[in-house]
Amino acid sequence: MSNNGTHSRLPDTRLAGNTWLGACVLAIAGALQTLTLSPLQWWWLGPVSIALILLVCVPLSPQKLFRAGWFTGIGLFGSGASWVYISISEHGNTSVPVAILLTSLFVAGLALFHAIGFWGWGKLTQKSQIRRLLLFPAIWILSDWVRGWLLTGFPWLYLGNAHVDGPLGGFAPLVGVHGITFWITATGVALYGAWWLVLNRRTANAGIVAVLALLPWVTGPALSKIEWTDVSDEATTFASMQGDIPQHIKWDPDFLRDQIVVYLRLTEGMWDTNLILWPETAIPIPQDRAGKIIDHIREELGDDSTLITGIPWYGFSERVEDFTFHNSIMAIGNGEGMYHKQKLVPFGEYVPLQQWLRGLIGFFDLPMSSFSRGPADQSPLTANGTRIMPFICYEVAYPDFVARNAKNTDMLLTISNDGWFGDSIGPLQHLQIARMRALETGRYMLRGTNNGVTAIIDHKGQLAETIPQFERAVLTGEVFAATGNTPYMLTGSWPVLTLALILIVFVRERIIPNRRSDQAKP
C-alpha cells in the first residue's frame, strides 16, 4: 500500500472491460450465493462468489461499480428471493404479467442495496486497488446490515446462514451471522489476493495469505464443541401440530370452523403433553370471538400442560388509545402470556401508502393485511414455569432482534405459515435461518408451521426432530431449557459493525484534499 499518492494497482481483467460479459459473471456470482443456502447448502461457494465479484469489480470506477453491484444483487435476489412470485400470483389474486412485474421490481429494488454499497466502496478507494480489497468485507457487511432494517428490512440470504452446517458455524455464538459473513467475504478477498500473488510469482506471500484466511475455517469446528449455555437435563415433552391447511381456504369464512377441528383432532391423545404448539393463526378468528374454543382447549389440557397457538388479537390498546388488530400468539393452560408481532411483512400484514394502493390490485387487498405493530420489549410467554420467547414468521430472520429478546429466557419458539410460498426454496431458507438463531443463542428453537417445515432445533442449531412438508402430521419429541447468554447475545452485531467502521476510517483514501498543501501551490 502506498501512502505517498502513488497508485497501488492490481491487474485489470477482460471481464472489467467487457460490460455484458462482466454483468453476466456478476449475476452468476450473486446466484452462487443462493446455492450456499438451503436446500443445496454448498457453503464452499461463498468465497468463490466473492472472488468472482472482485475479479470484475476491482478495476472499475465508482459509477461502473454501481451497475456492478446492481447486477450482483439481481443474481442473488433473482435466484434466492423470487419465490415472492408465488405469494403475489397464486395467493394474491394477481394476473401473471402483473405478478412478474411486481416480483421484478422487488428484486431490482433489493439489488439497489448492493449497487449503493459498491458505489460507496468505489468512492472511498478511487486510486488504490489494494485499499479497495481491504475495504470490501466492511462494505459488504454494512450493506447487509442496512438491508436488514431499512424500510422494515429484508434480513434474508445472508452468506453466514450457510454455515449452520459449515465449518464457520462455531463462530455464531461469538459474532453472529454478520461476523461469519464478514469472514466469508474476507476469505474471498484472500483468494483473489493469493491468485494475484501467484501470478506475480510471490508464492510465499500467497501461502501466508491463504493460511491466515483459512485459519478460522480450521478452528471453527473446534469452537462448535464449546457449550456457551447451560442446558438442563430435565426434559419437557413437546408436540407440534402441522395442519397443512390450503392457503386458498385459510381465510374463507366457510372453512374457519373446519380448520379448528383439524387442529383439535390432531391434538387428540396429546393433551397431557407438557408443551403443545399450534402454528401461526391456527385459530383463524380474533381472540375476542374465540372464547368458546379457548375455554374448550383449557378444559382438555392436563394439569401440567400448556398449549401455545397463533391467533389474531383485537382490542383496545392503552398504548395508542385506540382499538388495534395484531398477529399474535398466546399461551393457554398451565402457562400465560400474549405476544403481538413486531416485525410486520409489507403488503402481507400491512399495506404501506394504503390510502393510494388499496383496491388497485388483489395483492394490495390480501386477507389480514391490516395488522398493527406490537410494542417493543414484550415479556416472554411462560409454560409450566419455563420462559419461552416467541417469534412469529418473518421475525426470526432478524439476528439482533432475536438475540436481544432471547435474554432471560429458557427456550425460543417460532410459528409460521409458509403456505404463502408453496413448493419453493423459501420455506427451506426460513428453516435454515431459524437454525442459525438457535445456534447464535445456544437455545432450543421450537418451530411450528402450517405446512412445513415443523421441527425441533437443538441449541447447536441441529434438527433434533422434523416432519415432512405438505403433510397433516404431528411432531413429538423432548426439548430442554437453557440458561446463560452467549457472547453474541451480550454484544449483538456491534463488534463486527464497529470493525467495519474502523476499516473504513483507517483504510479509505482521503476524499477532501489537504487545504494547506493546496495553498502552498503557486
Side-chain angles (χ1 to χ4, degrees):
M1 186 184 302
S2 175
N3 295 321
N4 58 8
T6 59
H7 296 188
S8 302
R9 302 193 61 83
L10 299 173
D12 292 354
T13 66
R14 293 182 180 181
L15 295 176
N18 189 319
T19 301
W20 290 111
L21 179 59
C24 290
V25 171
L26 289 169
I28 291 171
L32 288 179
Q33 297 185 16
T34 296
L35 302 183
T36 70
L37 305 168
S38 285
L40 294 179
Q41 302 184 100
W42 294 348
W43 50 261
W44 51 272
L45 283 175
V48 175
S49 167
I50 297 300
L52 280 177
I53 292 169
L54 294 171
L55 192 64
V56 178
C57 292
V58 167
L60 298 181
S61 66
Q63 290 72 25
K64 291 183 178 179
L65 280 173
F66 181 91
R67 293 196 297 270
W70 191 75
F71 284 123
T72 302
I74 290 294
L76 173 60
F77 299 111
S79 62
S82 56
W83 38 256
V84 298
Y85 171 82
I86 299 173
S87 306
I88 298 170
S89 177
E90 296 186 14
H91 305 305
N93 302 316
T94 303
S95 65
V96 170
V98 174
I100 292 174
L101 174 62
L102 292 177
T103 302
S104 299
L105 290 174
F106 174 73
V107 170
L110 287 173
L112 288 175
F113 284 101
H114 284 74
I116 295 171
F118 278 36
W119 174 82
W121 177 44
K123 280 291 187 180
L124 290 169
T125 55
Q126 296 189 53
K127 297 180 180 179
S128 169
Q129 292 181 2
I130 301 296
R131 291 176 185 267
R132 185 168 284 186
L133 282 179
L134 293 174
L135 273 189
F136 185 80
I139 296 297
W140 189 279
I141 285 301
L142 290 175
S143 297
D144 270 2
W145 176 70
V146 172
R147 174 164 60 88
W149 59 263
L150 187 64
L151 301 176
T152 74
F154 187 72
W156 213 271
L157 302 180
Y158 291 152
L159 274 171
N161 285 327
H163 283 261
V164 72
D165 288 314
L168 296 179
F171 288 92
L174 285 167
V175 293
V177 67
H178 289 312
I180 295 175
T181 300
F182 184 94
W183 200 257
I184 294 171
T185 56
T187 304
V189 169
L191 280 177
Y192 180 87
W195 164 77
W196 177 77
L197 289 169
V198 169
L199 288 181
N200 285 271
R201 299 179 181 179
R202 296 164 64 180
T203 53
N205 290 340
I208 293 172
V209 169
V211 168
L212 291 176
L214 293 175
L215 188 60
W217 297 73
V218 176
T219 57
L223 282 176
S224 65
K225 298 178 181 180
I226 298 175
E227 296 291 341
W228 297 100
T229 55
D230 295 322
V231 180
S232 173
D233 294 329
E234 184 176 350
T236 297
T237 56
F238 174 72
S240 185
M241 288 64 198
Q242 183 173 285
D244 195 28
I245 306 297
Q247 190 59 33
H248 68 274
I249 68 169
K250 177 64 182 175
W251 302 110
D252 189 328
D254 294 334
F255 292 95
L256 297 183
R257 181 181 179 278
D258 294 342
Q259 295 178 47
I260 297 172
V261 170
V262 165
Y263 282 102
L264 288 174
R265 288 177 176 172
L266 287 172
T267 314
E268 288 180 3
M270 299 286 177
W271 294 108
D272 289 325
T273 304
N274 295 145
L275 181 58
I276 301 168
L277 181 62
W278 290 4
E280 182 180 11
T281 59
I283 300 178
I285 54 178
Q287 98 295 342
D288 62 333
R289 292 166 43 200
K292 289 184 178 179
I293 180 62
I294 292 173
D295 289 341
H296 175 75
I297 291 171
R298 190 174 285 116
E299 291 172 0
E300 292 289 333
L301 285 168
D303 292 339
D304 296 322
S305 301
T306 302
L307 187 144
I308 295 177
T309 181
I311 184 172
W313 186 95
Y314 179 78
F316 185 80
S317 171
E318 296 182 358
R319 181 174 60 92
V320 298
E321 298 183 348
D322 197 0
F323 286 90
T324 55
F325 192 37
H326 295 282
N327 186 358
S328 304
I329 184 170
M330 70 178 299
I332 307 170
N334 190 27
E336 61 181 3
M338 173 76 73
Y339 173 82
H340 304 313
K341 187 178 182 183
Q342 300 178 54
K343 304 288 188 179
L344 301 180
V345 178
F347 304 106
E349 293 175 312
Y350 79 100
V351 178
L353 306 174
Q354 61 176 338
Q355 62 269 36
W356 293 292
L357 296 180
R358 289 282 189 190
L360 290 180
I361 57 175
F363 182 63
F364 296 148
D365 289 291
L366 295 175
M368 299 295 156
S369 60
S370 299
F371 285 126
S372 300
R373 179 181 178 181
D377 300 322
Q378 297 182 61
S379 299
L381 307 177
T382 62
N384 313 317
T386 300
R387 300 162 298 177
I388 303 174
M389 191 65 214
F391 303 96
I392 300 177
C393 189
Y394 191 58
E395 289 186 313
V396 80
Y398 293 81
D400 288 283
F401 176 76
V402 172
R404 182 171 63 252
N405 285 283
K407 295 176 183 178
N408 302 315
T409 64
D410 305 311
M411 294 181 193
L412 306 181
L413 175 152
T414 180
I415 56 172
S416 183
N417 176 19
D418 286 349
W420 287 101
F421 311 118
D423 188 16
S424 71
I425 60 176
L428 301 178
Q429 293 172 349
H430 202 179
L431 173 65
Q432 186 179 47
I433 290 169
R435 294 176 60 198
M436 178 56 74
R437 299 293 90 83
L439 181 57
E440 289 169 337
T441 59
R443 278 161 171 71
Y444 269 69
M445 174 76 77
L446 317 180
R447 190 165 194 264
T449 68
N450 169 46
N451 64 348
V453 178
T454 299
I456 297 174
I457 304 168
D458 71 16
H459 66 297
K460 294 292 187 179
Q462 298 303 302
L463 294 173
E465 300 287 348
T466 186
I467 51 179
Q469 284 182 284
F470 314 115
E471 290 186 12
R472 187 166 291 176
V474 178
L475 178 147
T476 59
E478 294 183 338
V479 297
F480 301 85
T483 56
N485 296 320
T486 64
Y488 178 67
M489 290 171 64
L490 298 175
T491 64
S493 298
W494 288 111
V496 177
L497 297 174
T498 302
L499 174 60
L501 291 173
I502 290 172
L503 282 172
I504 288 175
V505 170
F506 288 99
V507 177
R508 69 182 177 89
E509 295 165 358
R510 292 182 61 86
I511 298 176
I512 301 174
N514 190 306
R515 292 184 178 180
R516 184 173 298 176
S517 61
D518 288 346
Q519 292 172 357
K521 295 178 181 180

